[in-house]
Amino acid sequence: MPAAAALTRPPRAAPSPAPTFTIGELAREFGVTTRAIRFYEDCGLLEPHRAGRHRIYSVRDRTRLKLTLRGKRLGLKLAEVKELVDMYESRRDTGPQLRRYLGVLARHRAQLEQRLGDLQTTLDELLAQEAAAQRLLKARTSP
C-alpha cells in the first residue's frame, strides 16, 4: 500500500527562484534615483549580478539598500553604514556587533546633540537681535 500511496501523491513543486529586482524597481520602491543606487554599488554596499548590461538585484541587495537608506536618514557616514551593514550579514557573535552599533549610535547622537545646542544658541541670538531691531523700529516710529 505504501507504494500505491506514493503513486497518488502530487509531485513536489520545484522551489521557486528567489525574487529579483531591477534598478528601476528599487529606485521607485525606495524613492531614490538610479544614480544613487549605482553610487551605493560603487561604494560596495550593493553587489548586483549582471545580465549583459542589466543589473539584477537580489533580496540581499534590497535589504542592504533599505539598511543603507536607514543609516543615511540617521545621518551616518557611508563608511559607517557599510561597516554596520556588513556586520548585519556576518555569522559572528552578535554581542560585539551590537556593542559596535551602540558605539556608532552614541557617537552620532553626541554629534547631533552638539549641533542641536549650537542651533539653539544661534536661534536665541537671532531672536534677541530680532527683538532689539523691533524695539529700535518702534522707538523711531513712536511720536
Side-chain angles (χ1 to χ4, degrees):
M1 187 106 162
L7 292 176
T8 61
R9 274 189 260 169
R12 280 190 179 167
S16 59
T20 59
F21 310 92
T22 66
I23 193 169
E25 289 170 337
L26 290 178
R28 281 187 297 280
E29 178 179 354
F30 291 104
V32 296
T33 64
T34 56
R35 183 176 180 185
I37 293 174
R38 287 190 299 272
F39 176 73
Y40 297 142
E41 182 183 337
D42 290 342
C43 292
L45 288 157
L46 306 174
E47 298 172 353
H49 297 289
R50 302 276 184 165
R53 294 182 62 211
H54 300 282
R55 292 170 168 85
I56 309 295
Y57 294 88
S58 65
V59 172
R60 174 186 177 267
D61 290 314
R62 184 185 174 279
T63 300
R64 289 177 67 93
L65 178 58
K66 184 177 182 178
L67 293 171
T68 298
L69 296 173
R70 182 178 298 157
K72 186 178 173 221
R73 278 192 306 275
L74 290 173
L76 301 177
K77 297 175 186 171
L78 281 181
E80 292 172 318
V81 171
K82 183 172 182 350
E83 181 180 354
L84 293 172
V85 170
D86 289 345
M87 281 191 324
Y88 171 80
E89 288 187 336
S90 84
R91 302 257 186 250
R92 295 180 293 177
D93 179 28
T94 59
Q97 293 169 353
L98 289 173
R99 282 190 285 282
R100 172 70 178 123
Y101 182 53
L102 287 171
V104 168
L105 291 177
R107 280 191 305 282
H108 191 63
R109 180 177 35 80
Q111 290 171 352
L112 289 175
E113 287 170 347
Q114 177 64 47
R115 287 173 39 197
L116 184 60
D118 293 346
L119 285 172
Q120 188 60 55
T121 299
T122 302
L123 182 59
D124 292 344
E125 290 174 8
L126 186 133
L127 290 171
Q129 290 297 316
E130 187 178 40
Q134 287 176 347
R135 281 192 304 275
L136 285 172
L137 184 60
K138 186 175 182 179
R140 288 179 183 236
T141 58
S142 295

